[in-house]
Amino acid sequence: MVRKLCIIPARGGSKRIPRKNIKEFIGKPIIAYSIEAALSSGLFDEVMVSTDDDEIAEVAKKYGAQVPFFRSKDNANDFATTMDVLVEVTKRYKEVGSEFGVVCCIYATSPFVSKEILQNSFAVFEQKNFDSLFPVIKYGFPIQRSIRVEENKISFNYPENANKRSQDLKDAFHDAGQFYWMKQDLINQGAVIVTDNTGAFEISELQGQDIDNEVDWKLAELKYELIQSIK
């Protein structure tokens, strides 16, 4: 059976929301939700947190994740990419004789990720034999009818669609920014997460929220509480 590793990147620096990765989110550090979803899914041989921060490491271990080593300084700055972190982590495991065929990267600020979403998305990833897969959310309005504003003047980005009905245009989606399933071979290449064989797992707008500032944080808490109330 293919061994699976869950990597939760969580560096200490955060400019817009200080200590974002361990900030309390409805009663517990936000990173706890990602750790608990991964552990409860039963999918992984190991769930680890990649961090450069002692406090984050302690919180991660408290909620059941492994922190076998700390992130390098090169990958703890604002310019390190997710792929940089994944390459570093899997190389470190390989150095001690531990190899994995599949990796799932779950961001630390992903409280909407559940064990069911992980299980169901992995089933699609495996059945379709994708190189990678990640959750997507449908845009609420067709982007083909989007407009731009320059000096208070409106113009269409796609003028050919100006008079088309919204229901006649194809749905468009965006990355939910929560987690990524990947084959280890893709990480070994160290280039991109999206290939011509990348799959999508659709989630609803209620199941996702970018968290880049304090307003986003409050919206995420409201969405989370609403989801819990209608379960």
Side-chain angles (χ1 to χ4, degrees):
M1 184 178 291
V2 175
R3 299 184 74 229
K4 297 183 285 297
L5 172 67
C6 174
I7 301 172
I8 301 173
R11 70 185 184 91
S14 178
K15 293 181 173 63
R16 289 175 290 190
I17 303 178
R19 309 300 289 163
K20 174 181 178 179
N21 291 321
I22 52 173
K23 179 178 168 69
E24 184 174 302
F25 184 94
I26 311 181
K28 57 188 173 185
I30 196 167
I31 194 174
Y33 294 86
S34 297
I35 295 170
E36 290 174 345
L39 291 171
S40 63
S41 74
L43 292 168
F44 302 103
D45 295 275
E46 183 149 343
V47 176
M48 71 87 66
V49 169
S50 171
T51 187
D52 60 325
D53 186 277
D54 288 328
E55 186 181 8
I56 292 175
E58 288 305 310
V59 172
K61 288 185 280 190
K62 175 183 176 181
Y63 285 94
Q66 303 298 312
V67 187
F69 45 80
F70 276 73
R71 191 185 301 192
S72 68
K73 289 184 179 179
D74 288 343
N75 284 327
N77 58 43
D78 293 336
F79 305 103
T81 66
T82 296
M83 185 60 84
D84 290 335
V85 173
L86 302 185
V87 168
E88 177 181 82
V89 169
T90 55
K91 279 185 177 179
R92 291 289 298 273
Y93 272 103
K94 189 174 182 180
E95 287 170 2
V96 296
S98 189
E99 297 189 53
F100 301 88
V102 171
V103 171
C104 184
C105 170
I106 306 177
Y107 288 136
T109 52
S110 301
F112 300 101
V113 176
S114 65
K115 68 177 183 180
E116 292 83 7
I117 287 175
L118 290 174
Q119 290 165 345
N120 294 337
S121 62
F122 176 70
V124 176
F125 172 73
E126 187 175 46
Q127 290 165 8
K128 299 293 186 179
N129 195 29
F130 288 126
D131 294 334
S132 58
L133 175 145
F134 56 85
V136 299
I137 298 174
K138 188 192 311 183
Y139 281 103
F141 188 82
I143 60 172
Q144 300 93 327
R145 293 274 314 275
S146 64
I147 58 177
R148 61 181 180 272
V149 179
E150 296 170 340
E151 298 181 355
N152 296 112
K153 186 178 180 180
I154 287 174
S155 57
F156 283 94
N157 286 317
Y158 307 98
E160 66 274 18
N161 296 319
N163 295 316
K164 290 183 179 179
R165 301 185 307 167
S166 59
Q167 60 264 43
D168 294 332
L169 298 170
K170 290 185 177 180
D171 292 334
F173 300 82
H174 63 86
D175 181 355
Q178 295 180 344
F179 65 88
Y180 303 90
W181 285 104
M182 280 167 280
K183 291 181 179 177
Q184 178 63 54
D185 290 345
L186 184 61
I187 296 173
N188 292 343
Q189 296 170 27
V192 295
I193 293 175
V194 179
T195 73
D196 58 5
N197 186 36
T198 291
F201 183 81
E202 186 177 355
I203 62 174
S204 72
E205 190 173 2
L206 185 59
Q207 294 172 303
Q209 173 68 45
D210 283 339
I211 305 178
D212 293 324
N213 55 52
E214 294 291 348
V215 173
D216 291 342
W217 193 280
K218 292 298 183 184
L219 285 172
E221 288 184 321
L222 289 171
K223 283 186 176 183
Y224 186 88
E225 290 177 324
L226 178 57
I227 289 172
Q228 301 310 305
S229 71
I230 61 178
K231 276 187 175 180

